[in-house]
Each structure stands twice: as C-alpha cells, then as structure tokens.
C-alpha cells in the first residue's frame, strides 16, 4: 500500500489532434511519454508549428527520469529538440522511432548532447518507481509501441496510437496476448487513443490501399506523384511495391522524405531494391510513364512541395498535363479548406488528382469504435481516461467505455493541463497546470523564412503603405510634401480623409523627430496610427532622401 498518489498530467493532445505529451508523476519522479508537435491552423499566420507548453516540467526538470517515445510520427516526436534543450533526461524508443529522432536531433546539432536508448517491443525498463513494459501496436508506421506502466499504485496501460489490423503491411499485428496478460494482472487505468472515436465499425486494413494503388499505376498516362507524410514509412513501402509491379522507378522529393527513407532502409524497415530508387534529377529526364515521385505536403501548406506545385512555384519541376497526383493522407482537422484549395489548383494545372474521398488511397492508422471496444474488453481497466483527440472525440470515447461497462464515475474526460490523481481505488480531479500552445517560428521552412511568409501574408491581407520623404540636408526639415503610395489598403470611400490625416501625422512626426532613427520610428508609429484608425495592419515602408 502506498499513501502517495500517481499524478497523470496531460501536457498535450487532450482537447486537440496533435502535440501529444503526457507526464506521469509519483513521489518526486516524472516519466514523460511522447513530445509531439501540431501544425498550425489557417489563421496562425507565419507559424511553423506548435509545441506543448511544458512549463510544469521546467519547474522541476531534475525529476524527469526518462522520456519514452511511442512511435515516430511528428505528433509524438516533433517537440523533442525543444524539450531536450531544457530537460536533460534519457530517451527510450524502438529502433525505427530512434532513427527518426536521430534525423531530427542531428539536424539540430544535438546528437552529442543527448542520451538515446533503444528498446524493443517485449522489453521492460525501470525508471525510478516506474516499470515500463513495451508492447507492439499496429499503426500507420512500423515499430509503434504501447506501454504497460507498473507504478506503486497500480498498473497503467497507455495505448498511444494503435489499430487492430490483422494484415498489416509489415505483417506485425498488435500484441493481443500481451494486452490480456496485462489485464490478468489487473489494470488500474487505461489511457487510449480517441482520434477515430466518432467512426463506427472497424478501421480497414492497410492492405486495402494496394488495389487502389494498382489501379492508379495501371491507368496513369504519365508521371505519378504521391504525397504523404514523411514519417509514413509503411506507405513508402506500398508505393515501392506498386512501382515494382508496374515497372516504374521511384524518387523521393524533399529533405525529410529522403532522410527518413534512407534511415528506414538502413534499419531494415523499408525494403527497396537498389535498382528501384533514382534521384529526382534522373527521374525528370526519364519517360514520364516510367517514374513515380513521392513527396510531402498533403495538408495544403503553401510552402510545401505540393503547395508549390499547385501554384506553379516549385523550382525543380512543374505539374504538367497528364500527371497523376495521389494525396495519400487524410486532412488534419482544421486543414480541410487549404487541402481542397490545393486539390483544385492541381486540377487547374492539368493534373488528375486522386484523394481519399474518391479512391481508398489512404486508410487511417487509428482504431475505430469497434476496436476501441475490443481494447477496453481486453484490458479490463478500473479507470479510463481517453487521450489523443478533440473534446468531441474524448467525449465519444467515454460513451464507448460506458457502453462496455466502465462506470461513468470511473471515466475522466479531461483536457490539457488538467491533472488527475490515482491511488489503488480512487481517481480524483486535481489542480490545473499550464497546458496551452507554444508557437515555434524561425526554424525555417523550405526556402522561405517564416518572417518573409508573415510579411507576405500581411501584405496579402492588408496591403502596404509607402511614404517617400525628402529632407533638406542642412535643416533636416521636409523639402516637399510627403509622398504617400498605397496598394491594397485604402478603400475609396474614406480614402481621402485617411490620406490627409496620414500626411499630417507624417509631417508632425518629422518635425518632432530630432534624434533617433527617423525611418524606423516613423514606420512603427505609423503602424499603430493606421491600426487605430482602420483596424488593419498594412506593411509600412518609409524611404528617406536628402537634397
Ligand atoms: Zn501516430
Ligand atoms: Zn498520433
């Protein structure tokens, strides 16, 4: 018996899709599970990505005994460099997950500062009072694991992302035997993935994609371009298999695709014959009917390869009539609008676009309702906490748990930052800790820096104002009236008023400015002047010449 409680601290992924991060705390010991990122929504201009707010850990970083990463998807790995910059703790991951982490850490120049440990499904490690057993789960990336965490108050099962695919691409189904073995020991609490909690039935096997790919490869009149996530290693294998069957060569486009494929191949998770893979340059010189290109950019991101192809701004190659583009992914909630905009543009450029709703070129890696019921039956938990999903998904998952017999008072639907405490026979809601967004930019995406992107978006939205000033080189006074040029900013109706007010503002500002940087000061003060009058934020430029 223990009088202390296990604290379950959701730092990300509860109440949203993405940036999964969970902390388990017991008596001055913390175990962290996953450190994910989330991609920004449409209205988050110029933001590269979002990571969890892990202030809670920063208040006691020395208590973190270890960080376990369940699989290699960005929403579980993407914040790793940010976390390790501030928390010095060993990482535990299976070989493929570790490989994908290494790609990130070496790009950030952090490989020599971190302690990476490889674990295999079936192994057990000890981190302070936590005994962590890794069991294999099937997902849309190989080498995913769920966790059986033995704590002083009882056994916790953390499913992470899983599905019950009986015919997975890597022939390695979820470890049902381990799940029932854990159940035999008595499971205090189950924390399980809710992503597809509103999907009835069973998620189809990954295998259903093969016939859809066959059809595409059989009928495509020219090049095939397949877009997916860089971490969807199983999808790369399926594309490769189709390419072999239909005698096409395959090329990976984009750094993350190339690096991940190389690493997965080296570790034996991708089986690609040497003669199948060629460079993009080689591919572009070949008969279009003999190649397939695989790239990222399925979420409508304007700076991604697909985004650039759709607007005709990709450097290496353009979309040509006769191309077949396959979007082998599902829009992340919030991205639907930009995904469909990209699809429309690709059609306009002459490509035939095949996406999820017209052919089964993608299946989910997440369990649907019947699989959730099966997991709950297999594990037989006393308490249940739905994780990974928007509020509606968590809520639906709670209903499913209730349907199969978990008492309502034993289910906690909580969101990021809401701490739950467990002991041998009770679960209570505790205090709230920070659990919000941390925006990341400046890490650089593609060829365009985020600040450039932000400026472009500001101009696209609110236009710009250009002020040309000519100063007398002796007196520093204005020689002429300031010249004001606007584009995309003023509407004619109240334009004249605003123009004369702006001119007066500039004249006053110049005569009042005796020191400092006139150009810079005026740009800043004009921005707030214009915002106060119009509630818009145009780009403001001031040029200065002396005569
Ligand atoms: Zn995943
Ligand atoms: Zn996930």
């Amino acid at each position: 018996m223990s009088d202390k409680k296990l604290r379950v601290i959701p730092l990300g992924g509860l109440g949203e899709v993405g940036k999964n991060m969970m902390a388990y705390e017991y008596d001055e010991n913390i175990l962290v599970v996953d450190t994910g990122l989330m991609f920004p929504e449409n209205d988050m201009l110029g933001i590269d990505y979002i990571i969890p707010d892990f202030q809670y850990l920063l208040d006691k970083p020395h208590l973190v005994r270890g960080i376990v990463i369940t699989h290699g998807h960005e929403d579980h790995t993407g914040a790793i460099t940010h976390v390790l910059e501030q928390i010095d703790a060993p990482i535990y991951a299976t070989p493929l997950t570790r490989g994908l982490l290494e790609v990130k850490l070496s790009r950030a120049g952090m490989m020599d500062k971190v302690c990476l440990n490889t674990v295999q499904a079936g192994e057990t490690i000890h981190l302070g009072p936590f005994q962590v057993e890794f069991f294999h789960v099937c997902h849309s990336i190989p080498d995913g694991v769920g966790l059986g965490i033995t704590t002083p108050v009882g056994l916790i099962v953390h499913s992470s992302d899983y599905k019950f695919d009986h015919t997975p691409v890597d022939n390695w189904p979820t470890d049902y035997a381990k799940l029932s073995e854990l159940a035999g020991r008595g499971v205090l609490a189950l924390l399980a993935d809710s992503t597809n909690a509103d999907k009835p039935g069973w998620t189809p096997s990954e295998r259903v994609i093969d016939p859809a790919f066959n059809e595409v490869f059989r009928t495509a009149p020219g090049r095939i371009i397949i877009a997916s996530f860089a971490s969807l290693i199983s999808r790369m294998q399926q594309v490769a298999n189709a390419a072999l069957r239909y005698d096409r060569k395959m090329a990976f486009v984009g750094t993350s695709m190339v690096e991940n494929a190389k690493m997965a191949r080296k570790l034996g998770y991708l089986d690609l014959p040497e003669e199948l893979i060629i460079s993009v340059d080689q591919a572009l010189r070949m008969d279009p009917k003999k190649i397939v290109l695989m790239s990222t950019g399925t979420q409508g991101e304007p700076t991604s390869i697909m985004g650039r192809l759709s607007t005709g701004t990709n450097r290496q190659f353009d979309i040509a009539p006769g191309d077949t583009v396959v979007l082998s992914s599902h829009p992340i909630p919030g991205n639907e609008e930009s995904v469909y905009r990209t699809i429309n543009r690709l059609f306009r450029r002459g490509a035939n676009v095949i996406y999820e709703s017209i052919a089964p070129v993608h299946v989910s890696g997440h369990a649907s309702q019947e699989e959730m019921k099966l997991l709950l039956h297999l594990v037989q938990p006393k308490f249940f906490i739905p994780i990974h999903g928007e509020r509606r998904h968590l809520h639906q998952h709670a209903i499913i748990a209730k349907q199969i017999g978990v008492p309502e008072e034993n289910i906690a639907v909580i969101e990021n930052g809401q701490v739950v405490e467990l002991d041998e026979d009770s679960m209570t809601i505790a205090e709230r800790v920070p659990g919000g967004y941390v925006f990341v930019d400046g890490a650089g995406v593609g060829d365009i820096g985020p600040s450039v992107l932000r400026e472009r978006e500001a101009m696209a939205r609110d236009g710009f104002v250009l002020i040309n000033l000519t100063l007398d080189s002796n007196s520093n006074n204005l020689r002429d009236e300031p010249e004001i040029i606007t584009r995309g900013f003023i509407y004619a109706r109240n334009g004249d008023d605003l123009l004369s007010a702006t001119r007066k503002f500039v004249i006053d500002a110049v005569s009042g400015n005796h020191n400092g940087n006139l150009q810079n000061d005026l740009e800043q003060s004009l921005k707030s002047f214009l915002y106060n009058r119009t509630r818009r934020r145009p780009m403001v430029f001031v040029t200065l010449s002396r005569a």
Side-chain angles (χ1 to χ4, degrees):
M1 281 292 280
S2 150
D3 53 349
K4 297 202 178 66
K5 295 191 170 191
L6 174 72
R7 286 160 55 76
V8 177
I9 305 152
L11 297 172
L14 278 74
E16 63 196 357
V17 172
K19 71 178 178 70
N20 298 297
M21 186 171 188
M22 180 66 81
Y24 293 97
E25 182 175 29
Y26 182 86
D27 187 25
E28 312 253 289
N29 297 278
I30 295 174
L31 163 69
V32 174
V33 179
D34 291 330
T35 57
L37 66 68
M38 186 162 89
F39 293 102
E41 288 167 23
N42 286 337
D43 51 354
M44 298 172 183
L45 297 172
I47 299 301
D48 290 349
Y49 56 91
I50 303 158
I51 61 171
D53 180 347
F54 50 94
Q55 184 58 46
Y56 184 81
L57 301 179
L58 296 182
D59 294 339
K60 34 186 156 182
H62 55 288
L63 301 188
V64 179
R65 303 287 165 240
I67 301 171
V68 171
I69 307 293
T70 59
H71 63 283
H73 282 158
E74 289 288 345
D75 59 323
H76 298 256
T77 62
I80 192 70
T81 55
H82 301 273
V83 171
L84 290 182
E85 261 162 23
Q86 308 198 60
I87 295 168
D88 182 22
I91 311 266
Y92 298 85
T94 56
L96 177 64
T97 311
R98 177 189 173 141
L100 290 164
L101 289 168
E102 283 180 5
V103 170
K104 279 180 196 308
L105 291 164
S106 32
R107 261 200 235 167
M110 293 174 74
M111 271 308 281
D112 49 341
K113 282 176 256 161
V114 299
C115 169
L116 281 170
N117 301 279
T118 305
V119 293
Q120 303 282 356
E123 284 181 3
T124 303
I125 58 167
H126 294 265
L127 297 171
F130 306 107
Q131 174 192 300
V132 184
E133 291 165 79
F134 299 86
F135 58 90
H136 181 70
V137 291
C138 210
H139 186 36
S140 44
I141 184 169
D143 229 5
V145 285
L147 312 172
I149 308 167
T150 304
T151 76
V153 304
L155 175 57
I156 307 296
V157 173
H158 183 112
S159 80
S160 197
D161 293 351
Y162 75 99
K163 72 191 274 191
F164 290 149
D165 188 342
H166 305 303
T167 52
V169 174
D170 63 358
N171 297 314
W172 194 5
T174 297
D175 191 346
Y176 305 99
K178 183 67 185 185
L179 283 168
S180 54
E181 191 257 311
L182 291 169
R185 286 188 245 158
V187 172
L188 180 66
L190 169 68
L191 290 86
D193 174 30
S194 313
T195 308
N196 279 352
D198 54 5
K199 299 231 165 56
W202 294 78
T203 302
S205 169
E206 201 87 359
R207 293 272 177 208
V208 307
I209 293 175
D210 290 339
F213 274 3
N214 283 345
E215 184 61 17
V216 170
F217 276 73
R218 201 177 55 78
T219 53
R223 278 193 308 205
I224 302 175
I225 303 168
I226 298 187
S228 190
F229 289 110
S231 56
L232 268 184
I233 307 292
S234 330
R235 203 58 48 81
M236 293 180 187
Q237 185 67 57
Q238 287 177 297
V239 173
N241 296 347
L244 283 170
R245 279 194 297 270
Y246 289 89
D247 194 27
R248 289 186 183 238
K249 302 280 184 202
M250 179 175 182
F252 293 104
V253 192
T255 324
S256 49
M257 268 283 167
V258 172
E259 285 181 6
N260 286 353
K262 195 165 126 200
M263 187 278 310
R265 243 177 127 180
K266 199 177 75 192
L267 296 175
Y269 289 89
L270 257 185
D271 178 19
L272 309 178
E274 206 53 60
E275 66 278 8
L276 173 69
I277 304 300
I278 55 174
S279 72
V280 179
D281 285 333
Q282 285 172 301
L284 295 176
R285 287 194 298 268
M286 285 175 61
D287 175 0
K289 283 215 296 266
K290 289 282 166 204
I291 60 162
V292 53
L293 304 171
M294 195 160 180
S295 86
T296 54
T298 57
Q299 297 298 316
E301 319 93 304
T303 55
S304 70
I305 292 162
M306 268 305 137
R308 294 198 304 256
L309 283 173
S310 76
T311 50
T313 51
N314 192 47
R315 263 202 221 131
Q316 231 174 346
F317 61 98
D318 276 326
I319 289 290
D323 283 350
T324 302
V325 176
V326 180
L327 295 185
S328 184
S329 70
H330 180 70
I332 295 169
N335 292 347
E336 293 88 349
E337 207 185 307
S338 36
V339 170
Y340 288 118
R341 197 180 308 131
T342 305
I343 291 174
N344 290 333
R345 286 181 179 145
L346 290 166
F347 271 119
R348 214 167 278 145
R349 296 193 163 270
N352 182 27
V353 191
I354 294 169
Y355 51 101
E356 200 188 8
S357 33
I358 56 174
V361 287
H362 175 71
V363 291
S364 175
H366 299 269
S368 298
Q369 289 178 354
E370 295 306 309
E371 293 154 281
M372 293 176 172
K373 291 175 194 168
L374 178 54
L375 180 67
L376 281 152
H377 276 305
L378 277 172
V379 173
Q380 298 285 322
K382 183 167 190 174
F383 298 107
F384 176 63
I385 303 176
I387 59 173
H388 304 174
E390 293 180 7
R391 184 74 190 204
R392 63 196 165 101
H393 303 124
L394 304 178
H395 190 79
Q396 192 58 45
H397 205 178
I399 293 173
I400 291 166
K402 220 158 48 181
Q403 278 171 359
I404 70 110
V406 182
E408 188 164 5
E409 61 274 19
N410 286 9
I411 302 171
V413 176
I414 51 167
E415 293 188 47
N416 295 341
Q418 178 61 64
V419 180
V420 163
E421 292 184 341
L422 287 161
D423 62 19
E424 283 92 341
D425 40 37
S426 75
M427 172 166 72
T428 45
I429 302 288
E431 87 278 17
R432 286 197 72 94
V433 303
Y437 285 0
V438 173
F439 296 108
V440 179
D441 63 8
V445 265
D447 303 334
I448 305 166
S451 63
V452 175
L453 201 65
R454 237 192 333 265
E455 285 173 5
R456 282 182 186 178
E457 279 164 344
M459 275 191 275
R461 202 177 55 237
D462 291 332
F464 68 82
V465 176
L466 175 64
I467 314 273
N468 292 325
L469 301 177
T470 312
L471 298 188
D472 185 292
S473 38
N474 296 320
S475 67
N476 256 352
N477 291 329
L478 277 170
R479 273 183 77 109
D480 305 304
E481 283 262 291
E483 185 190 5
I484 303 178
I485 297 164
T486 72
R487 288 290 183 274
F489 173 54
I490 301 171
Y491 352 83
R493 206 167 351 122
N494 55 9
D496 283 352
D497 277 3
L498 185 61
L499 264 184
S500 48
T502 305
R503 186 167 294 118
K504 182 173 182 319
F505 180 86
V506 172
I507 292 169
D508 291 349
V510 173
S511 61
N513 187 293
H514 300 296
N515 45 17
N517 182 343
L518 175 61
Q519 225 167 332
N520 200 19
D521 291 353
L522 188 54
E523 281 178 4
Q524 294 313 317
S525 60
L526 254 177
K527 272 184 197 164
S528 30
F529 169 80
L530 293 170
Y531 179 71
N532 288 335
R533 300 222 11 155
T534 64
R535 298 287 137 192
R536 290 180 170 271
R537 298 182 193 279
M539 295 291 297
V540 176
F541 310 98
V542 174
T543 69
L544 211 63
S545 51
R546 292 175 199 274

